[in-house]
Amino acid sequence: MSKLPGWLGRLGAELTELGDRLEQRRAEAAGAEAAGDASARTELPVPVSAVPASAEPAGAAPSGDVPSAAVPHEEARRDAVADHVPPPPSYAPSVAARPDPVAAIPWGMRVAAEAGWRLLVLAGTLWVLMRVISTVQLVVLAFVAALLVTAMLQPTVARLRRYGLPRGLATAVTAILGFVIMGLVGWFVVWQVMDNLDTLSDKVRDGIDELKHWLLDSPFHVTEQQINDVAKNLSDTIGTNTEQITSAGLQGVTVMAEVLTGILLAMFSTLFLLYDGRRIWHWVLKLVPAQARPGVAGAGPRAWRTLTAYVRGTVIVALIDAIFIGLGIFFLDVPMAVPLAVFIFLFAFIPLVGAVISGALAVVVALVTEGVFTALMVLAVVLAVQQIEGHVLQPFILGRAVRVHPLAVVLSVAAGGMIAGIGGAVVAVPLVAVTNTVVGYLRAYGQEQALRYAPSPRGATAVDVAPTPAPGSPSEDIDYGDGGGTKNGPGK
């Protein structure tokens, strides 16, 4: 039993030495880890508790009592260790980084998306504008008709003012004469139709009987019973749809009231446009933003000249068509030659389509009243006059004032007819012509402004970009932009 205390003492000493070695190993492991992470973060001080007691300098505080200044460093070390992500081992497969979503979309798709939403905004704006126009369709058509009539009468007002008449008197004389002439033409057409209505109905009845006999003797083997069945079915259809025909007649009365209202609006608008058109245009310019005002101010007169040239040329061409086709119908003894000539004149304001409709109407009247031979002769006269119109009159009279492709004419007439009926078909082509002129001028004006405010070229590049005179134009009007004036001008 005397040896037991000694053995326990030695066991305690060995355990103490073993604990010291374990603490020393932990301190060495922490130091190795800190040295490995030196490239990613700054080396932090080793905690006091990890240093062996034998390493503490003399006079230092005990290991259990950590100074207050070492607490922030300890917390910073723990945060850095927690935030640090160790790099993957060398044998791990490499993973490509995800690209930027904007860079992953192809360039063409991005351009299409940018253009797409702008087109959607433009389409929405046009849709809202068309809805507003359709709501006030009568007012819009009346004002456009007033613009067309003003473009036709305004040169007369200017001529009377050059003769010394005051503006009000010149406007009143021109407007009264124009409205009286148009009213007399309308009254004459109605009078001719009413006067020849009985004769036309008799000839239509004779023409139907002649057509019936021709069908019976034709090689189509049409029997009289079949013709009577067709006539009976037509009569039954009319009797069955009597209510619809009556409602259509009432709707026609409403349409006539709207037409009269539109005529009155067009007359008043024409009067004020003739008298005060320049002041109205200046007021419109004040509504335009200041930056765009110079371009719009230059495009307006050019658009008006295009509209005036179109109306004047169309009136002359329509008058020639009506006179020559009317004379041909008159010499062929077709009834209502004068009303048909007036219809040809009016339908000539609808390019391409109007000539076909008015010519077909004249041929049908000749076929029903005078027979097949006279109808063929009328068709020959209509085709001859329209060929002369298309290849001689329009290029010579309209010239280059109205430069619209035939495809654009057909599409604009079809779109105008679908949107606003006959009135839309009439105003479609002048609207397209004016739009073409305005867009062309604004594009040229924008290019001119870009060149004017662009930095002046210097050195050898000035020779490449300097403007050159057009053939036949004076060279002294060229501004080279170098501050030296113009060629042969003040700077020379």
Side-chain angles (χ1 to χ4, degrees), residues 247-306:
S247 62
L250 295 176
Q251 187 178 2
V253 174
T254 305
V255 170
M256 289 299 299
E258 292 180 355
V259 168
L260 292 177
T261 305
I263 290 174
L264 292 177
L265 286 175
M267 291 175 62
F268 279 105
S269 301
T270 302
L271 187 62
F272 286 107
L273 287 174
L274 287 174
Y275 179 75
D276 220 6
R278 186 177 298 275
R279 187 178 302 176
I280 294 173
W281 170 243
H282 290 164
W283 177 80
V284 172
L285 282 179
K286 293 179 181 179
L287 303 178
V288 180
Q291 295 181 349
R293 194 173 299 163
V296 176
R302 288 166 175 80
W304 182 252
R305 284 197 294 269
T306 299

Tab-separated table of all heavy atoms in Angstrom, residues 247-306:
chain	number	residue	atom	x	y	z
A	247	SER	N	-87.027	49.312	-93.455
A	247	SER	CA	-86.009	49.819	-92.525
A	247	SER	C	-84.824	50.404	-93.281
A	247	SER	O	-84.245	51.415	-92.855
A	247	SER	CB	-85.533	48.704	-91.598
A	247	SER	OG	-84.926	47.661	-92.350
A	248	ALA	N	-84.494	49.799	-94.414
A	248	ALA	CA	-83.418	50.366	-95.230
A	248	ALA	C	-83.805	51.732	-95.770
A	248	ALA	O	-82.982	52.649	-95.856
A	248	ALA	CB	-83.069	49.416	-96.384
A	249	GLY	N	-85.102	51.877	-96.128
A	249	GLY	CA	-85.559	53.190	-96.584
A	249	GLY	C	-85.484	54.227	-95.482
A	249	GLY	O	-85.059	55.365	-95.701
A	250	LEU	N	-85.868	53.836	-94.250
A	250	LEU	CA	-85.750	54.764	-93.129
A	250	LEU	C	-84.294	55.096	-92.838
A	250	LEU	O	-83.953	56.247	-92.517
A	250	LEU	CB	-86.411	54.155	-91.885
A	250	LEU	CG	-87.927	53.939	-91.971
A	250	LEU	CD1	-88.436	53.251	-90.711
A	250	LEU	CD2	-88.654	55.280	-92.178
A	251	GLN	N	-83.436	54.096	-92.951
A	251	GLN	CA	-82.015	54.356	-92.773
A	251	GLN	C	-81.493	55.290	-93.861
A	251	GLN	O	-80.626	56.134	-93.610
A	251	GLN	CB	-81.239	53.039	-92.780
A	251	GLN	CG	-79.768	53.194	-92.443
A	251	GLN	CD	-79.050	51.864	-92.408
A	251	GLN	OE1	-79.654	50.817	-92.680
A	251	GLN	NE2	-77.775	51.900	-92.075
A	252	GLY	N	-82.049	55.147	-95.075
A	252	GLY	CA	-81.667	56.061	-96.144
A	252	GLY	C	-82.053	57.494	-95.836
A	252	GLY	O	-81.319	58.431	-96.165
A	253	VAL	N	-83.198	57.683	-95.185
A	253	VAL	CA	-83.595	59.037	-94.780
A	253	VAL	C	-82.591	59.596	-93.767
A	253	VAL	O	-82.186	60.776	-93.841
A	253	VAL	CB	-85.022	59.016	-94.193
A	253	VAL	CG1	-85.387	60.379	-93.634
A	253	VAL	CG2	-86.021	58.589	-95.258
A	254	THR	N	-82.170	58.760	-92.828
A	254	THR	CA	-81.168	59.197	-91.850
A	254	THR	C	-79.854	59.554	-92.535
A	254	THR	O	-79.206	60.554	-92.196
A	254	THR	CB	-80.930	58.094	-90.807
A	254	THR	OG1	-82.183	57.728	-90.220
A	254	THR	CG2	-79.976	58.559	-89.740
A	255	VAL	N	-79.470	58.742	-93.511
A	255	VAL	CA	-78.235	59.024	-94.253
A	255	VAL	C	-78.352	60.345	-95.005
A	255	VAL	O	-77.394	61.144	-95.051
A	255	VAL	CB	-77.910	57.855	-95.197
A	255	VAL	CG1	-76.774	58.228	-96.135
A	255	VAL	CG2	-77.563	56.605	-94.410
A	256	MET	N	-79.518	60.608	-95.593
A	256	MET	CA	-79.704	61.876	-96.299
A	256	MET	C	-79.592	63.062	-95.345
A	256	MET	O	-79.000	64.110	-95.690
A	256	MET	CB	-81.064	61.877	-96.996
A	256	MET	CG	-81.142	60.951	-98.197
A	256	MET	SD	-79.948	61.405	-99.489
A	256	MET	CE	-80.505	63.066	-99.880
A	257	ALA	N	-80.128	62.917	-94.142
A	257	ALA	CA	-79.998	63.994	-93.154
A	257	ALA	C	-78.531	64.216	-92.777
A	257	ALA	O	-78.068	65.365	-92.660
A	257	ALA	CB	-80.820	63.666	-91.915
A	258	GLU	N	-77.772	63.113	-92.603
A	258	GLU	CA	-76.357	63.251	-92.300
A	258	GLU	C	-75.599	63.879	-93.471
A	258	GLU	O	-74.684	64.693	-93.258
A	258	GLU	CB	-75.761	61.889	-91.959
A	258	GLU	CG	-76.274	61.291	-90.650
A	258	GLU	CD	-75.651	59.949	-90.354
A	258	GLU	OE1	-74.896	59.450	-91.219
A	258	GLU	OE2	-75.908	59.396	-89.268
A	259	VAL	N	-75.972	63.529	-94.689
A	259	VAL	CA	-75.306	64.112	-95.863
A	259	VAL	C	-75.553	65.619	-95.924
A	259	VAL	O	-74.631	66.412	-96.190
A	259	VAL	CB	-75.790	63.414	-97.147
A	259	VAL	CG1	-75.344	64.191	-98.386
A	259	VAL	CG2	-75.256	61.991	-97.208
A	260	LEU	N	-76.787	66.036	-95.675
A	260	LEU	CA	-77.081	67.473	-95.680
A	260	LEU	C	-76.305	68.189	-94.574
A	260	LEU	O	-75.776	69.290	-94.783
A	260	LEU	CB	-78.585	67.690	-95.498
A	260	LEU	CG	-79.473	67.242	-96.670
A	260	LEU	CD1	-80.951	67.444	-96.336
A	260	LEU	CD2	-79.103	68.008	-97.952
A	261	THR	N	-76.225	67.566	-93.392
A	261	THR	CA	-75.438	68.164	-92.317
A	261	THR	C	-73.965	68.280	-92.705
A	261	THR	O	-73.317	69.312	-92.452
A	261	THR	CB	-75.572	67.326	-91.035
A	261	THR	OG1	-76.955	67.179	-90.711
A	261	THR	CG2	-74.840	67.977	-89.883
A	262	GLY	N	-73.437	67.236	-93.318
A	262	GLY	CA	-72.046	67.290	-93.764
A	262	GLY	C	-71.816	68.350	-94.828
A	262	GLY	O	-70.773	69.018	-94.835
A	263	ILE	N	-72.778	68.545	-95.726
A	263	ILE	CA	-72.641	69.576	-96.756
A	263	ILE	C	-72.599	70.966	-96.128
A	263	ILE	O	-71.781	71.828	-96.515
A	263	ILE	CB	-73.791	69.456	-97.774
A	263	ILE	CG1	-73.616	68.180	-98.609
A	263	ILE	CG2	-73.837	70.676	-98.692
A	263	ILE	CD1	-74.772	67.905	-99.549
A	264	LEU	N	-73.462	71.206	-95.134
A	264	LEU	CA	-73.454	72.508	-94.462
A	264	LEU	C	-72.131	72.734	-93.716
A	264	LEU	O	-71.551	73.834	-93.772
A	264	LEU	CB	-74.632	72.599	-93.492
A	264	LEU	CG	-76.027	72.656	-94.134
A	264	LEU	CD1	-77.111	72.670	-93.055
A	264	LEU	CD2	-76.156	73.891	-95.023
A	265	LEU	N	-71.633	71.697	-93.013
A	265	LEU	CA	-70.344	71.832	-92.334
A	265	LEU	C	-69.212	72.109	-93.325
A	265	LEU	O	-68.333	72.946	-93.063
A	265	LEU	CB	-70.041	70.564	-91.541
A	265	LEU	CG	-70.825	70.352	-90.245
A	265	LEU	CD1	-70.495	68.991	-89.651
A	265	LEU	CD2	-70.505	71.441	-89.232
A	266	ALA	N	-69.243	71.412	-94.463
A	266	ALA	CA	-68.203	71.626	-95.473
A	266	ALA	C	-68.269	73.043	-96.039
A	266	ALA	O	-67.234	73.681	-96.290
A	266	ALA	CB	-68.345	70.595	-96.591
A	267	MET	N	-69.482	73.582	-96.249
A	267	MET	CA	-69.618	74.939	-96.775
A	267	MET	C	-69.048	75.969	-95.800
A	267	MET	O	-68.277	76.859	-96.194
A	267	MET	CB	-71.086	75.225	-97.080
A	267	MET	CG	-71.649	74.436	-98.246
A	267	MET	SD	-73.430	74.683	-98.478
A	267	MET	CE	-73.477	76.436	-98.821
A	268	PHE	N	-69.416	75.872	-94.520
A	268	PHE	CA	-68.905	76.827	-93.536
A	268	PHE	C	-67.391	76.689	-93.377
A	268	PHE	O	-66.675	77.694	-93.275
A	268	PHE	CB	-69.608	76.614	-92.194
A	268	PHE	CG	-70.957	77.266	-92.111
A	268	PHE	CD1	-72.111	76.514	-92.190
A	268	PHE	CD2	-71.077	78.643	-91.972
A	268	PHE	CE1	-73.363	77.109	-92.123
A	268	PHE	CE2	-72.317	79.250	-91.896
A	268	PHE	CZ	-73.463	78.486	-91.973
A	269	SER	N	-66.889	75.452	-93.354
A	269	SER	CA	-65.443	75.255	-93.220
A	269	SER	C	-64.707	75.826	-94.423
A	269	SER	O	-63.645	76.462	-94.271
A	269	SER	CB	-65.129	73.764	-93.066
A	269	SER	OG	-65.774	73.220	-91.934
A	270	THR	N	-65.256	75.638	-95.611
A	270	THR	CA	-64.627	76.194	-96.811
A	270	THR	C	-64.593	77.715	-96.759
A	270	THR	O	-63.578	78.347	-97.115
A	270	THR	CB	-65.404	75.736	-98.057
A	270	THR	OG1	-65.419	74.306	-98.107
A	270	THR	CG2	-64.755	76.260	-99.324
A	271	LEU	N	-65.671	78.330	-96.316
A	271	LEU	CA	-65.724	79.783	-96.226
A	271	LEU	C	-64.635	80.326	-95.296
A	271	LEU	O	-63.909	81.272	-95.645
A	271	LEU	CB	-67.102	80.208	-95.742
A	271	LEU	CG	-67.405	81.716	-95.740
A	271	LEU	CD1	-67.341	82.274	-97.146
A	271	LEU	CD2	-68.760	81.974	-95.119
A	272	PHE	N	-64.477	79.727	-94.125
A	272	PHE	CA	-63.478	80.219	-93.181
A	272	PHE	C	-62.060	79.872	-93.614
A	272	PHE	O	-61.121	80.643	-93.336
A	272	PHE	CB	-63.761	79.666	-91.788
A	272	PHE	CG	-64.934	80.318	-91.115
A	272	PHE	CD1	-66.134	79.644	-90.970
A	272	PHE	CD2	-64.843	81.616	-90.647
A	272	PHE	CE1	-67.216	80.248	-90.352
A	272	PHE	CE2	-65.921	82.230	-90.026
A	272	PHE	CZ	-67.118	81.543	-89.881
A	273	LEU	N	-61.881	78.745	-94.270
A	273	LEU	CA	-60.543	78.408	-94.767
A	273	LEU	C	-60.114	79.359	-95.882
A	273	LEU	O	-58.934	79.734	-95.965
A	273	LEU	CB	-60.519	76.960	-95.260
A	273	LEU	CG	-60.561	75.873	-94.190
A	273	LEU	CD1	-60.682	74.497	-94.832
A	273	LEU	CD2	-59.324	75.926	-93.304
A	274	LEU	N	-61.040	79.740	-96.743
A	274	LEU	CA	-60.707	80.699	-97.790
A	274	LEU	C	-60.389	82.077	-97.210
A	274	LEU	O	-59.490	82.774	-97.692
A	274	LEU	CB	-61.868	80.809	-98.791
A	274	LEU	CG	-62.088	79.633	-99.740
A	274	LEU	CD1	-63.351	79.839	-100.556
A	274	LEU	CD2	-60.886	79.465	-100.667
A	275	TYR	N	-61.128	82.465	-96.193
A	275	TYR	CA	-60.965	83.819	-95.655
A	275	TYR	C	-59.790	83.915	-94.677
A	275	TYR	O	-59.037	84.907	-94.700
A	275	TYR	CB	-62.259	84.246	-94.941
A	275	TYR	CG	-62.184	85.627	-94.330
A	275	TYR	CD1	-62.245	86.767	-95.125
A	275	TYR	CD2	-62.031	85.774	-92.952
A	275	TYR	CE1	-62.154	88.025	-94.565
A	275	TYR	CE2	-61.942	87.032	-92.384
A	275	TYR	CZ	-62.015	88.156	-93.185
A	275	TYR	OH	-61.925	89.405	-92.627
A	276	ASP	N	-59.602	82.932	-93.836
A	276	ASP	CA	-58.640	83.042	-92.737
A	276	ASP	C	-57.720	81.829	-92.667
A	276	ASP	O	-57.302	81.431	-91.576
A	276	ASP	CB	-59.393	83.182	-91.414
A	276	ASP	CG	-58.724	84.186	-90.492
A	276	ASP	OD1	-57.761	84.837	-90.938
A	276	ASP	OD2	-59.171	84.330	-89.341
A	277	GLY	N	-57.400	81.252	-93.801
A	277	GLY	CA	-56.594	80.041	-93.793
A	277	GLY	C	-55.197	80.243	-93.254
A	277	GLY	O	-54.677	79.406	-92.509
A	278	ARG	N	-54.550	81.375	-93.587
A	278	ARG	CA	-53.183	81.607	-93.124
A	278	ARG	C	-53.132	81.751	-91.605
A	278	ARG	O	-52.235	81.216	-90.947
A	278	ARG	CB	-52.618	82.860	-93.793
A	278	ARG	CG	-51.145	83.111	-93.495
A	278	ARG	CD	-50.655	84.331	-94.243
A	278	ARG	NE	-50.754	84.124	-95.672
A	278	ARG	CZ	-49.834	83.522	-96.416
A	278	ARG	NH1	-48.735	83.057	-95.838
A	278	ARG	NH2	-49.990	83.380	-97.712
A	279	ARG	N	-54.100	82.474	-91.037
A	279	ARG	CA	-54.115	82.635	-89.586
A	279	ARG	C	-54.397	81.310	-88.887
A	279	ARG	O	-53.813	81.019	-87.830
A	279	ARG	CB	-55.170	83.669	-89.191
A	279	ARG	CG	-55.149	84.038	-87.728
A	279	ARG	CD	-56.194	85.093	-87.420
A	279	ARG	NE	-55.983	86.297	-88.237
A	279	ARG	CZ	-56.811	87.345	-88.211
A	279	ARG	NH1	-57.895	87.314	-87.443
A	279	ARG	NH2	-56.549	88.404	-88.965
A	280	ILE	N	-55.255	80.488	-89.466
A	280	ILE	CA	-55.519	79.162	-88.891
A	280	ILE	C	-54.254	78.311	-88.910
A	280	ILE	O	-53.943	77.593	-87.945
A	280	ILE	CB	-56.668	78.473	-89.641
A	280	ILE	CG1	-57.978	79.238	-89.423
A	280	ILE	CG2	-56.828	77.025	-89.212
A	280	ILE	CD1	-59.128	78.728	-90.250
A	281	TRP	N	-53.482	78.405	-89.994
A	281	TRP	CA	-52.245	77.635	-90.085
A	281	TRP	C	-51.230	78.107	-89.041
A	281	TRP	O	-50.533	77.293	-88.418
A	281	TRP	CB	-51.679	77.742	-91.490
A	281	TRP	CG	-50.302	77.188	-91.647
A	281	TRP	CD1	-49.172	77.859	-91.986
A	281	TRP	CD2	-49.887	75.829	-91.459
A	281	TRP	NE1	-48.090	77.028	-92.020
A	281	TRP	CE2	-48.505	75.771	-91.712
A	281	TRP	CE3	-50.560	74.662	-91.105
A	281	TRP	CZ2	-47.786	74.596	-91.610
A	281	TRP	CZ3	-49.829	73.487	-91.007
A	281	TRP	CH2	-48.466	73.458	-91.264
A	282	HIS	N	-51.118	79.404	-88.834
A	282	HIS	CA	-50.203	79.910	-87.810
A	282	HIS	C	-50.633	79.463	-86.412
A	282	HIS	O	-49.780	79.187	-85.558
A	282	HIS	CB	-50.143	81.435	-87.883
A	282	HIS	CG	-49.443	81.934	-89.106
A	282	HIS	ND1	-49.549	83.234	-89.554
A	282	HIS	CD2	-48.645	81.292	-90.014
A	282	HIS	CE1	-48.829	83.384	-90.657
A	282	HIS	NE2	-48.269	82.222	-90.963
A	283	TRP	N	-51.934	79.406	-86.155
A	283	TRP	CA	-52.401	78.913	-84.867
A	283	TRP	C	-52.060	77.435	-84.673
A	283	TRP	O	-51.692	77.010	-83.580
A	283	TRP	CB	-53.910	79.133	-84.766
A	283	TRP	CG	-54.496	78.597	-83.502
A	283	TRP	CD1	-54.488	79.175	-82.273
A	283	TRP	CD2	-55.163	77.326	-83.342
A	283	TRP	NE1	-55.112	78.372	-81.351
A	283	TRP	CE2	-55.545	77.228	-81.975
A	283	TRP	CE3	-55.493	76.296	-84.210
A	283	TRP	CZ2	-56.224	76.129	-81.486
A	283	TRP	CZ3	-56.161	75.200	-83.708
A	283	TRP	CH2	-56.524	75.112	-82.361
A	284	VAL	N	-52.169	76.652	-85.749
A	284	VAL	CA	-51.804	75.232	-85.669
A	284	VAL	C	-50.314	75.084	-85.382
A	284	VAL	O	-49.901	74.203	-84.613
A	284	VAL	CB	-52.202	74.513	-86.970
A	284	VAL	CG1	-51.658	73.084	-86.984
A	284	VAL	CG2	-53.713	74.478	-87.126
A	285	LEU	N	-49.495	75.949	-85.973
A	285	LEU	CA	-48.053	75.868	-85.731
A	285	LEU	C	-47.706	76.132	-84.273
A	285	LEU	O	-46.724	75.590	-83.747
A	285	LEU	CB	-47.312	76.868	-86.622
A	285	LEU	CG	-47.108	76.475	-88.085
A	285	LEU	CD1	-46.380	77.575	-88.821
A	285	LEU	CD2	-46.351	75.168	-88.207
A	286	LYS	N	-48.472	76.954	-83.593
A	286	LYS	CA	-48.207	77.222	-82.183
A	286	LYS	C	-48.435	75.985	-81.306
A	286	LYS	O	-47.891	75.905	-80.202
A	286	LYS	CB	-49.080	78.369	-81.691
A	286	LYS	CG	-48.736	79.713	-82.322
A	286	LYS	CD	-49.653	80.816	-81.800
A	286	LYS	CE	-49.323	82.150	-82.457
A	286	LYS	NZ	-50.225	83.234	-81.986
A	287	LEU	N	-49.238	75.033	-81.784
A	287	LEU	CA	-49.475	73.807	-81.023
A	287	LEU	C	-48.342	72.799	-81.166
A	287	LEU	O	-48.270	71.840	-80.395
A	287	LEU	CB	-50.789	73.157	-81.472
A	287	LEU	CG	-52.054	74.016	-81.363
A	287	LEU	CD1	-53.246	73.243	-81.889
A	287	LEU	CD2	-52.283	74.465	-79.930
A	288	VAL	N	-47.471	73.019	-82.145
A	288	VAL	CA	-46.361	72.099	-82.392
A	288	VAL	C	-45.221	72.447	-81.440
A	288	VAL	O	-44.974	73.633	-81.165
A	288	VAL	CB	-45.909	72.198	-83.864
A	288	VAL	CG1	-44.752	71.245	-84.151
A	288	VAL	CG2	-47.075	71.900	-84.786
A	289	PRO	N	-44.501	71.453	-80.878
A	289	PRO	CA	-43.334	71.761	-80.037
A	289	PRO	C	-42.321	72.632	-80.764
A	289	PRO	O	-42.181	72.571	-81.996
A	289	PRO	CB	-42.762	70.373	-79.704
A	289	PRO	CG	-43.926	69.451	-79.837
A	289	PRO	CD	-44.800	70.010	-80.910
A	290	ALA	N	-41.608	73.461	-79.992
A	290	ALA	CA	-40.705	74.450	-80.586
A	290	ALA	C	-39.592	73.792	-81.397
A	290	ALA	O	-39.179	74.333	-82.431
A	290	ALA	CB	-40.103	75.323	-79.480
A	291	GLN	N	-39.098	72.638	-80.954
A	291	GLN	CA	-38.012	71.993	-81.690
A	291	GLN	C	-38.462	71.486	-83.052
A	291	GLN	O	-37.680	71.504	-84.006
A	291	GLN	CB	-37.441	70.840	-80.864
A	291	GLN	CG	-36.770	71.290	-79.568
A	291	GLN	CD	-36.203	70.126	-78.792
A	291	GLN	OE1	-36.479	68.968	-79.115
A	291	GLN	NE2	-35.427	70.410	-77.758
A	292	ALA	N	-39.710	71.028	-83.164
A	292	ALA	CA	-40.209	70.505	-84.444
A	292	ALA	C	-40.906	71.557	-85.284
A	292	ALA	O	-41.316	71.268	-86.406
A	292	ALA	CB	-41.160	69.335	-84.187
A	293	ARG	N	-41.062	72.776	-84.765
A	293	ARG	CA	-41.833	73.791	-85.470
A	293	ARG	C	-41.211	74.207	-86.804
A	293	ARG	O	-41.935	74.367	-87.793
A	293	ARG	CB	-42.026	75.004	-84.563
A	293	ARG	CG	-43.084	75.981	-85.038
A	293	ARG	CD	-43.312	77.033	-83.977
A	293	ARG	NE	-43.792	76.424	-82.741
A	293	ARG	CZ	-43.775	77.030	-81.571
A	293	ARG	NH1	-43.280	78.254	-81.455
A	293	ARG	NH2	-44.248	76.410	-80.500
A	294	PRO	N	-39.882	74.399	-86.928
A	294	PRO	CA	-39.332	74.780	-88.236
A	294	PRO	C	-39.592	73.745	-89.324
A	294	PRO	O	-39.925	74.091	-90.465
A	294	PRO	CB	-37.836	74.956	-87.950
A	294	PRO	CG	-37.759	75.235	-86.493
A	294	PRO	CD	-38.848	74.440	-85.870
A	295	GLY	N	-39.436	72.453	-88.988
A	295	GLY	CA	-39.701	71.425	-89.994
A	295	GLY	C	-41.147	71.377	-90.423
A	295	GLY	O	-41.458	71.258	-91.605
A	296	VAL	N	-42.083	71.482	-89.449
A	296	VAL	CA	-43.506	71.471	-89.785
A	296	VAL	C	-43.881	72.717	-90.581
A	296	VAL	O	-44.689	72.658	-91.512
A	296	VAL	CB	-44.347	71.358	-88.500
A	296	VAL	CG1	-45.830	71.436	-88.814
A	296	VAL	CG2	-44.033	70.060	-87.778
A	297	ALA	N	-43.281	73.875	-90.225
A	297	ALA	CA	-43.563	75.102	-90.964
A	297	ALA	C	-43.112	75.011	-92.416
A	297	ALA	O	-43.738	75.608	-93.306
A	297	ALA	CB	-42.881	76.278	-90.275
A	298	GLY	N	-42.046	74.267	-92.678
A	298	GLY	CA	-41.623	74.085	-94.064
A	298	GLY	C	-42.413	73.015	-94.790
A	298	GLY	O	-42.616	73.103	-96.012
A	299	ALA	N	-42.891	71.990	-94.056
A	299	ALA	CA	-43.646	70.913	-94.703
A	299	ALA	C	-45.070	71.338	-95.051
A	299	ALA	O	-45.654	70.822	-96.010
A	299	ALA	CB	-43.678	69.680	-93.802
A	300	GLY	N	-45.654	72.262	-94.278
A	300	GLY	CA	-47.038	72.670	-94.518
A	300	GLY	C	-47.282	73.260	-95.896
A	300	GLY	O	-48.174	72.807	-96.629
A	301	PRO	N	-46.530	74.298	-96.317
A	301	PRO	CA	-46.755	74.851	-97.663
A	301	PRO	C	-46.532	73.845	-98.778
A	301	PRO	O	-47.252	73.859	-99.786
A	301	PRO	CB	-45.741	76.000	-97.734
A	301	PRO	CG	-45.486	76.375	-96.313
A	301	PRO	CD	-45.585	75.103	-95.540
A	302	ARG	N	-45.567	72.959	-98.604
A	302	ARG	CA	-45.336	71.946	-99.646
A	302	ARG	C	-46.492	70.951	-99.718
A	302	ARG	O	-46.886	70.526	-100.813
A	302	ARG	CB	-44.024	71.227	-99.363
A	302	ARG	CG	-42.809	72.096	-99.634
A	302	ARG	CD	-41.529	71.510	-99.042
A	302	ARG	NE	-40.371	72.315	-99.415
A	302	ARG	CZ	-40.034	73.456	-98.815
A	302	ARG	NH1	-40.762	73.911	-97.807
A	302	ARG	NH2	-38.972	74.134	-99.211
A	303	ALA	N	-47.037	70.582	-98.570
A	303	ALA	CA	-48.204	69.698	-98.567
A	303	ALA	C	-49.401	70.391	-99.217
A	303	ALA	O	-50.169	69.757	-99.974
A	303	ALA	CB	-48.545	69.291	-97.135
A	304	TRP	N	-49.575	71.676	-98.956
A	304	TRP	CA	-50.693	72.400	-99.566
A	304	TRP	C	-50.530	72.507	-101.077
A	304	TRP	O	-51.507	72.401	-101.831
A	304	TRP	CB	-50.808	73.783	-98.931
A	304	TRP	CG	-51.951	74.588	-99.462
A	304	TRP	CD1	-51.891	75.665	-100.283
A	304	TRP	CD2	-53.342	74.341	-99.228
A	304	TRP	NE1	-53.148	76.124	-100.574
A	304	TRP	CE2	-54.059	75.326	-99.933
A	304	TRP	CE3	-54.030	73.385	-98.489
A	304	TRP	CZ2	-55.441	75.381	-99.919
A	304	TRP	CZ3	-55.406	73.445	-98.479
A	304	TRP	CH2	-56.101	74.425	-99.179
A	305	ARG	N	-49.305	72.729	-101.551
A	305	ARG	CA	-49.080	72.775	-103.003
A	305	ARG	C	-49.373	71.423	-103.641
A	305	ARG	O	-49.940	71.348	-104.739
A	305	ARG	CB	-47.638	73.204	-103.289
A	305	ARG	CG	-47.394	74.691	-103.103
A	305	ARG	CD	-46.103	75.122	-103.787
A	305	ARG	NE	-44.939	74.529	-103.164
A	305	ARG	CZ	-44.253	75.091	-102.180
A	305	ARG	NH1	-44.636	76.265	-101.692
A	305	ARG	NH2	-43.194	74.503	-101.680
A	306	THR	N	-48.994	70.339	-102.956
A	306	THR	CA	-49.308	69.002	-103.485
A	306	THR	C	-50.815	68.786	-103.556
A	306	THR	O	-51.339	68.279	-104.563
A	306	THR	CB	-48.659	67.934	-102.596
A	306	THR	OG1	-47.248	68.107	-102.591
A	306	THR	CG2	-48.986	66.541	-103.096
